[in-house]
Amino acid sequence: MDFLDRLAVRIERTSSSFARLLEQRPVMAWCAFSLFYFSATAWRASRKPFWFDELVTLHLCRLPTVREVWAAFESAADAMPPLYHLLARASIAMFGEGHISLRAPAMFGVWILCLCLYLFVRSHCPAVYGWVAAVTMALAMTLNGYSQEARSYGLLMGITGLALVCWQSATGRYRRLSLLGLALSVAMAIFSHAMALIVAAALGLAELVRAGMRRKLDWPVFAALLAGASASLLLLPAGAASAAAYAGSDWSRPGLIRILTTYRFLLKPLAAPLCASLAMACLWWSLRGPNRAGPSQAPEWRMPPAETGLAVALQFLPIAAVVSAYVTGVFTPRHTLPSLAGFCIMAAYLSHSVERNGRMLAMLIVTAVVGSMALDTALRPALSAPADACKWAREVRPSPELPIVVDDAHAFLQQVHYAPKDVAHRLVFLADAARAHRATGNKSATTGILLLARWAPLHVEPPDTFLAAHRRFYLLGSEWFESWLRAHLLEAGASVRLVRMGYFGDLYLVETDH
């Protein structure tokens, strides 16, 4: 028992010393975390191939002027508002086009959110609990991939963090600056993704809680939220164009069961490290024994009501998003990513509430989360998309006169991007949204390619025109998403001969009789 006593004292002293270091050296701690975070996310970004939506972002970033980017957005070439495109264009201009530079705004946005969550929690709790909120958010956004994705979600998260901090400080010393920051951050969030409107609604509910505590409505805060939300009016024409273009697609239909799948999507990256931390903390508390000296009894800590109300409101965003989707007709779990901020804040508050003496639980969470992120990053496989493209390219080089039809709406942009230059110009997509919808019940990706082809140098042709002009061609697909051509050719009696199979998908040689 003497050994266990000495070990317990040493562990407690180490935990307390580390917590004190985080308290006394915040700048040094943030420099170390920033180095770890950006190294991990850059490494992951460099090993992750671009997918369909990211390549839409890339093609629009290649447009010569900002005016054309806005025009492409208004024509529904991309449903995502153009703020991310503008920042990505700046990143590409500074660092060149690549997997990291195109995703840099998302990486930086998540880092800003981590910092804002730290400041948000730190205003009522010791620094170590601010780190609980920050690192759990970093882990969630890193493992779900959205901190390394060239779409607006990482950027939206960062701006959401700024809105949370501005709302919290709106009753403090820098009131005017906070109100201005609140209005601007809400507007910027909407210009990164229209679903930021439900974040503004959550802030409004939290303000009602704060007004109930103060027994007085703070009208300037509501005015700031309303002013920021009014930015959505500028997006209405583009939203109407997008809704008309994608009407009838079933890929994102809402349903009540999707509430549960959304919460699973949000919390899955955090489940293992948080449960492991809690289990180890419970084991520690049970083994510590009543006769071992511990930290002095601290007064009971209560969660700040207004901030807790905001965290709870954010946690209910998936329900609000599914309900609103019955009006908009569009829902996907990633639209509710800001809800993670509420869970991370509550994780910090709850860990402080249950542990009045010492900081063991908080330190276990920080250690487990950072360790999980480091381990998962180290196990990332190398980027294989260019090598996979080279495999099918070797098969088609002996017949340079034959076009290569990609019968896979999701894979077309990726094959164009990663294929060797000597064969990339031969890739063709036969776009027929009506046939894709009849065959698969979906037409979203096909519609997206048709709209993007107005602004990007993509080889897209009507099927009947192409088939009338070409008797022999190659057919390529991987997931065969929105695929209808292969079945159509077989029904028409064409010869569809498998040439090669691999990680890239299937390559066929097609011969038709006119």
Side-chain angles (χ1 to χ4, degrees), residues 121-480:
V121 173
R122 180 68 183 87
S123 63
H124 293 285
C125 303
V128 67
Y129 297 104
W131 280 106
V132 169
V135 299
T136 51
M137 177 57 70
L139 177 70
M141 291 298 291
T142 299
L143 265 60
N144 65 27
Y146 290 101
S147 64
Q148 322 101 50
E149 180 162 310
R151 298 297 283 173
S152 61
Y153 304 106
L155 179 62
L156 169 64
M157 298 295 278
I159 301 172
T160 297
L162 293 175
L164 299 185
V165 171
C166 290
W167 171 83
Q168 186 185 49
S169 58
T171 58
R173 179 179 177 184
Y174 301 102
R175 177 173 171 80
R176 291 184 178 179
L177 183 61
S178 298
L179 291 173
L180 177 61
L182 179 60
L184 290 177
S185 57
V186 170
M188 290 173 62
I190 290 172
F191 266 89
S192 62
H193 201 288
M195 288 302 294
L197 280 170
I198 61 174
V199 177
L203 288 166
L205 290 175
E207 183 57 32
L208 288 176
V209 173
R210 188 158 65 183
M213 295 171 49
R214 303 173 66 190
R215 300 183 181 278
K216 179 182 179 182
L217 287 174
D218 194 339
W219 291 110
V221 173
F222 288 105
L225 290 172
L226 185 61
S230 65
S232 60
L233 298 176
L234 299 175
L235 305 180
L236 288 179
S242 180
Y246 290 95
S249 292
D250 296 331
W251 73 275
S252 59
R253 289 295 182 185
L256 294 180
I257 189 63
R258 303 199 72 179
I259 295 175
L260 298 178
T261 59
T262 298
Y263 279 113
R264 184 176 61 183
F265 159 78
L266 292 171
L267 300 177
K268 184 179 178 180
L270 299 176
L274 291 184
C275 290
S277 301
L278 184 59
M280 288 188 290
C282 291
L283 179 63
W284 167 256
W285 294 329
S286 64
L287 294 177
R288 190 169 174 273
N291 59 334
R292 296 192 178 105
S296 57
Q297 188 75 6
E300 183 178 358
W301 181 81
R302 295 183 180 276
M303 299 182 190
E307 282 82 353
T308 303
L310 175 57
V312 173
L314 289 172
Q315 291 173 358
F316 279 94
L317 288 188
I319 299 175
V322 170
V323 172
S324 66
Y326 281 100
V327 177
T328 64
V330 177
F331 176 80
T332 183
R334 58 181 179 266
H335 289 170
T336 66
L337 282 170
S339 181
L340 280 171
F343 286 103
C344 293
I345 291 169
M346 286 302 295
Y349 285 170
L350 288 173
S351 60
H352 190 22
S353 297
V354 303
E355 192 175 36
R356 293 170 58 188
N357 299 318
R359 304 285 183 263
M360 182 60 67
L361 177 57
M363 291 308 306
L364 286 172
I365 292 175
V366 172
T367 303
V369 166
V370 172
S372 297
M373 184 172 168
L375 179 62
D376 190 83
T377 300
L379 296 177
R380 288 290 92 188
L383 180 66
S384 62
D388 291 340
C390 289
K391 292 177 183 178
W392 65 257
R394 286 195 294 267
E395 302 294 334
V396 302
R397 283 194 177 103
S399 303
E401 75 284 359
L402 297 183
I404 308 161
V405 176
V406 182
D407 188 23
D408 187 327
H410 268 174
F412 175 64
L413 294 183
Q414 192 175 59
Q415 296 293 0
V416 170
H417 183 76
Y418 289 110
K421 292 183 179 180
D422 63 317
V423 297
H425 69 280
R426 296 164 55 189
L427 292 169
V428 186
F429 183 73
L430 305 186
D432 190 323
R435 284 178 172 175
H437 190 262
R438 285 196 300 268
T440 66
N442 192 27
K443 61 175 183 177
S444 58
T446 302
T447 302
I449 291 175
L450 284 168
L451 295 170
L452 181 63
R454 302 175 184 176
W455 302 92
L458 301 173
H459 191 176
V460 179
E461 292 190 25
D464 294 336
T465 303
F466 178 89
L467 294 175
H470 297 85
R471 180 177 176 274
R472 298 177 73 241
F473 56 89
Y474 287 105
L475 185 67
L476 178 66
S478 53
E479 299 176 1
W480 304 97

